[in-house]
Amino acid sequence: MRTMRHIKTLIPLIAAIGLVAVFTAPSRSQAQSQAPAPADVQLATIKQYCSGCHSDRAKTGGVSFEGITAASITKDPDLFEKAVRKLRGRVMPPPGAKQPDGKAVDSLVAWLEDSLDKVPNQQLVTDQVVLHRLNRQEYANAVRDLLLVEVNGAELLPQDDTAQGFDNIASALQVSPSFIEQYVGAARNVAVEALGKGDARAQGWTFRASPGNQLTHVPGLPLGTRGGILAKVDLPADGEYRINIADMAGHIWGNGMEYENPLVVTLDNKIVYQTVVGGEEDSKLYDQVQNGAIDKLNARLKNIKFPATAGPHKIGVTFRRQSFAESDDQLQMFTPGGGQDRSYRVNSFQLLGPFDVKGLSSTPSRDRVLTCNPAKDKTKTPEACAREIFSTLAKRAYRRPVTNDDITELMQYYADGVKQGGFESGIRAGITGTLASPFFLYRGERVPTGLKPGEKYAITDLELASKLSFFLWNSIPDDELLDLAIKNKLSDPATLDKQVQRMLADPRSKTLASNFVFQWLEMTRLDAVVPDNDVFPYASGRMDPRQDFRTELTLFADSIFREDRNVVDLLRANHTYLNERVALHYGITDVKGDQFRRVELKDSVRWGLLGKGAILMAAAYPNRTSPVLRGSFILKYLQGVPPANPPPNVPTLNDKDIGTTKALTVRQLMAAHRASPTCSACHSVMDPLGFALENFDATGMWRDKDRYAGVGIDSAGELPDGTKINGPDDLRKALLRRPEQFVQTLVENLLTYSMGRTEAYYDMPTVRKIVRDTAAKDYKFSAIVQAVVNSEQFKMRRMPQPVQSASSAQDAVGRSVVR
């Protein structure tokens, strides 16, 4: 109840900007290399080419440039930031209207950007005081680093809301009563996992195999085994545990029973049980005994008992490796690499326990928490040990020095727990209180006193430490970072730069690849794109490649970041990370086994993000490719210019509507779809980009011919500036002609991710400055991160403006009326 009361005290846009094609846009360096003409010349260009649509009479899009002056930019920078995007993409003036020459547009863009960068705007430094709740991934990472306990945040906590594609935006992370209950329940579960429970009741865990065959070794299982499942689990107590493996004999014919499959169960790589499934004796069961043969065979896989201690363990169910004999299948398998007709697979197993509890052994999490134990150190009382434990724990959890009030409150939890089960029960209750505390669940920033409304100030070193660690590690600060902040040394520029470099080199910075990159590129769409089994039998069901694609993308992006390479290498790097399944999907035959390893790519169509299965699959439908989705993906996520929303009631592609029974390619289907002038304006920009990737099917596999229409794939197209492209290589070259645009897109998203708030027009001058400044450093990832960390958006805040009450506002209105 105390936990619930503790939490309850804390409960308390961007519009579409139209389609922008960036391939004809000048880079900032190109635009500025031409000194912008005087303001009168630029205003004359706007009047000549823009006033036809944007006059007081026409007011297309609700915008009028009639009477525009240089001062107009200062008055409405939001509008002119949108105009710059459109001008850089050559979609303003619109297609078909009278167009200025390229030099005039370049000069206008340079003038507008220079003018916008000089507009004073305090809004880039927020004055909003918002409590920033930990999202469920941050919660899981914080628990791991605090207690050495691995938890699945998605299983413990509700799904987080997102804003601009990111799930760490403070304003989107709201709390409801149901959230509170789940956070309290999660805290209790984590506390039990951290300390174990000497009187634990038997419970169950189920572990399922990942997609794919089980012909190769699973990393983490003993050498000499193939396939199976490796489960990582925290056991609550010492005692007996039992395993039930899913049935392997499931029909009366006994197909495959003539082949022996030696099965083993391992605990931390030591065999605790072994048997054989199949072979001569099992064949006789089917042929001669028949009745009950299935039950007798599957009984060997049930109620497998073994002793285990509390704490983290690796439990494996796998097969001894036998041979790589050629398949005896009568029909060719769709599965790349062949099937496993004579080799069984472990689909799942259930773990039950503990039974006959024996006590609690030492575990990493118990050792982390119980730094003082009155049972071992007779010189200290249980209360003194509890205070010592909570002082250390709360400092790390709350990310600041603890106060007497903090310890007093946790000791109240301790006292309640002691009444139920002694010292460890009290510590467990204190851990629950710590994890349910608003000081753990929220990141807050203090507002200093003595400053005027609107005045800027730097966040404290402790706030900077938390902001930095959740940006780069998606977790709490470590002791080194926290101690520097407590000593007020972290804000020193040299110290801060050194800490950023240290944190980027730490393995925890991998979250920048697994979390930031995935949210920037909206890889959550992969969850919804389930390959159609009828269309893609080689990439569905057990052979669904999506999880492998996620791993490949994470390892690839992490390699660019960790090696501190030019971030443009995300588009052009000639390496990736493959296991055998992904390699075969890509047509590469010299990679063996389930383990991912770095591979230098000989075929350039797979270079960079555009050749990655995760990207190609996320921008497709479950049963076919979509040039529109792929083109839109490139515009929005790689070039930072999202296309306009499609008009309502757009019909789907359907060859029946075209009046033919002949199978058509996607290009042929879309030809009729694009015939409408309303549609062609947008599609003429998106479609060439998507068609350049048409050789990749919806699962990312290369093809030269459309298997339904029976004709070769046509990947040719023409960009808005007249550049002709044909295939992924030409498309990548077109994107690389202006690498600044890709860097700007990455910086925009990285700044949003680091700030924990939505990006707005007033952030664009900072984005452009970071891009300009890091160009001299070859756009190295660390240079960009350093620039983001040193930005005003990251380190500075503004004093809030006083909120005028309704009554005082009404009085003010009344006084103005009287006057």
Side-chain angles (χ1 to χ4, degrees), residues 195-254:
L195 285 186
K197 199 170 183 183
D199 59 349
R201 296 179 180 180
Q203 56 185 298
W205 301 263
T206 299
F207 304 98
R208 293 182 172 83
S210 58
N213 61 38
Q214 294 188 359
L215 298 176
T216 56
H217 176 254
V218 174
L221 286 173
L223 295 176
T225 62
R226 62 117 186 131
I229 300 172
L230 177 65
K232 298 179 181 180
V233 61
D234 268 298
L235 301 180
D238 301 351
E240 180 184 271
Y241 291 84
R242 301 171 188 172
I243 283 179
N244 293 316
I245 304 171
D247 292 349
M248 294 187 185
H251 51 74
I252 62 174
W253 298 280

Side-chain angles (χ1 to χ4, degrees), residues 619-621 624-632 666 670 690-691 694 698:
Y621 291 115
R624 67 168 176 85
T625 60
S626 173
V628 175
L629 290 181
R630 287 177 175 174
S632 175
V666 172
M670 292 189 63
F691 280 128
E694 187 65 9

Side-chain angles (χ1 to χ4, degrees), residues 61-119:
V63 175
S64 173
F65 289 139
E66 197 163 311
I68 184 175
T69 65
S72 302
I73 301 174
T74 305
K75 295 178 180 177
D76 197 352
D78 186 13
L79 171 65
F80 285 94
E81 284 289 358
K82 295 174 182 177
V84 164
R85 288 183 184 260
K86 293 191 175 186
L87 282 168
R88 288 173 66 88
R90 298 295 198 272
V91 295
M92 187 169 72
K98 186 179 179 182
Q99 302 286 329
D101 62 55
K103 291 184 178 180
V105 176
D106 293 351
S107 179
L108 179 57
V109 167
W111 178 70
L112 284 173
E113 288 189 341
D114 283 341
S115 301
L116 287 165
D117 289 348
K118 294 173 183 176
V119 173

Side-chain angles (χ1 to χ4, degrees), residues 778-810:
D778 196 31
Y779 296 130
K780 288 186 179 297
F781 181 66
S782 65
I784 292 174
V785 170
Q786 295 277 16
V788 168
V789 168
N790 285 291
S791 68
E792 285 195 304
Q793 283 92 330
F794 193 86
K795 297 169 63 174
M796 303 297 293
R797 298 294 178 267
R798 221 166 13 107
M799 288 295 290
Q801 301 289 341
V803 179
Q804 192 175 28
S805 67
S807 58
S808 61
Q810 190 173 13

Side-chain angles (χ1 to χ4, degrees), residues 467-478:
K467 197 166 185 65
L468 194 60
S469 66
F470 280 101
F471 169 34
L472 299 181
W473 289 346
N474 212 26
S475 185
I476 57 177
D478 63 2

Side-chain angles (χ1 to χ4, degrees), residues 147-377:
L147 300 171
L148 300 182
V149 172
E150 296 283 351
V151 298
N152 187 335
E155 294 178 354
L156 290 175
L157 301 172
Q159 185 171 353
D160 298 306
D161 292 327
T162 63
Q164 292 186 349
F166 294 100
D167 64 5
N168 67 338
I169 304 300
S171 58
L173 293 170
Q174 302 300 315
V175 175
S176 66
S178 64
F179 269 68
I180 295 172
E181 293 180 7
Q182 288 181 276
Y183 271 102
V184 173
R188 289 175 180 149
N189 290 337
V190 171
V192 170
E193 286 198 41
L195 285 186
K197 199 170 183 183
D199 59 349
R201 296 179 180 180
Q203 56 185 298
W205 301 263
T206 299
F207 304 98
R208 293 182 172 83
S210 58
N213 61 38
Q214 294 188 359
L215 298 176
T216 56
H217 176 254
V218 174
L221 286 173
L223 295 176
T225 62
R226 62 117 186 131
I229 300 172
L230 177 65
K232 298 179 181 180
V233 61
D234 268 298
L235 301 180
D238 301 351
E240 180 184 271
Y241 291 84
R242 301 171 188 172
I243 283 179
N244 293 316
I245 304 171
D247 292 349
M248 294 187 185
H251 51 74
I252 62 174
W253 298 280
N255 290 0
M257 275 297 150
E258 63 270 30
Y259 305 116
E260 287 190 359
N261 284 261
L263 179 139
V264 295
V265 177
T266 64
L267 175 67
D268 298 327
N269 281 348
K270 295 181 180 179
I271 296 176
V272 296
Y273 177 79
Q274 54 188 322
T275 187
V276 175
V277 180
E280 184 176 354
E281 294 301 319
D282 289 341
S283 295
K284 288 180 180 179
L285 278 177
Y286 275 93
D287 295 340
Q288 299 173 14
V289 180
Q290 295 184 353
N291 185 34
I294 294 177
D295 295 337
K296 290 180 181 179
L297 194 153
N298 288 326
R300 301 175 206 159
L301 308 176
K302 305 296 188 285
N303 204 31
I304 300 168
K305 301 177 182 180
F306 61 93
T309 58
H313 291 281
K314 296 179 180 179
I315 299 176
V317 179
T318 182
F319 297 96
R320 291 183 183 273
R321 182 184 295 282
Q322 291 179 292
S323 69
F324 291 99
E326 185 176 352
S327 171
D328 289 334
D329 273 349
Q330 296 177 356
L331 299 176
Q332 182 179 352
M333 301 289 285
F334 285 116
T335 305
Q340 54 179 91
D341 55 310
R342 62 168 62 198
S343 302
Y344 283 175
R345 76 189 312 271
V346 180
N347 290 313
S348 65
F349 73 87
Q350 182 185 48
L351 174 66
L352 302 173
F355 302 97
D356 189 21
V357 176
K358 303 293 185 182
L360 291 168
S361 298
S362 173
T363 68
S365 57
R366 282 177 62 82
D367 294 343
R368 167 63 69 90
V369 173
L370 298 176
T371 54
C372 179
N373 192 335
K376 298 179 179 179
D377 187 352

